[in-house]
Amino acid sequence: MYPYNNGYIEGVNNTIKVLKRNSFGINSFKRMKKKILWQQEIKKIRVKRDSGVDFPPSHLTENRKN
């Protein structure tokens, strides 16, 4: 067995393919690129949130009024 795999990259490629399929009609490459990068950032935030890490950090929300 090898200690490395390409699972992460395959997931990114799959995400891009799904976005391309769902974004039929986008004319601008720049817009598509921004959409892909935005989706990757959202995934990072979800992973942090779901991993049990304090998100958003409590020091940012302590003084907030509801």
Side-chain angles (χ1 to χ4, degrees):
M1 268 336 260
Y2 297 104
Y4 306 105
N5 64 45
N6 61 348
Y8 176 77
I9 299 299
E10 290 295 329
V12 171
N13 287 341
N14 187 37
T15 300
I16 292 170
K17 287 179 183 180
V18 170
L19 280 173
K20 282 174 63 177
R21 242 181 269 126
N22 292 335
S23 301
F24 180 76
I26 290 182
N27 294 329
S28 171
F29 174 75
K30 285 184 181 180
R31 184 168 179 207
M32 188 65 190
K33 181 180 172 182
K34 285 181 182 181
K35 192 170 187 173
I36 292 168
L37 294 175
W38 178 79
Q39 182 67 30
Q40 290 305 110
E41 287 300 315
I42 293 298
K43 277 188 170 187
K44 286 180 189 176
I45 291 171
R46 286 182 185 153
V47 167
K48 286 181 185 177
R49 182 189 65 199
D50 295 341
S51 66
V53 175
D54 186 21
F55 189 83
S58 58
H59 70 277
L60 295 177
T61 59
E62 288 174 348
N63 297 328
R64 275 174 100 173
K65 294 181 181 179
N66 290 334

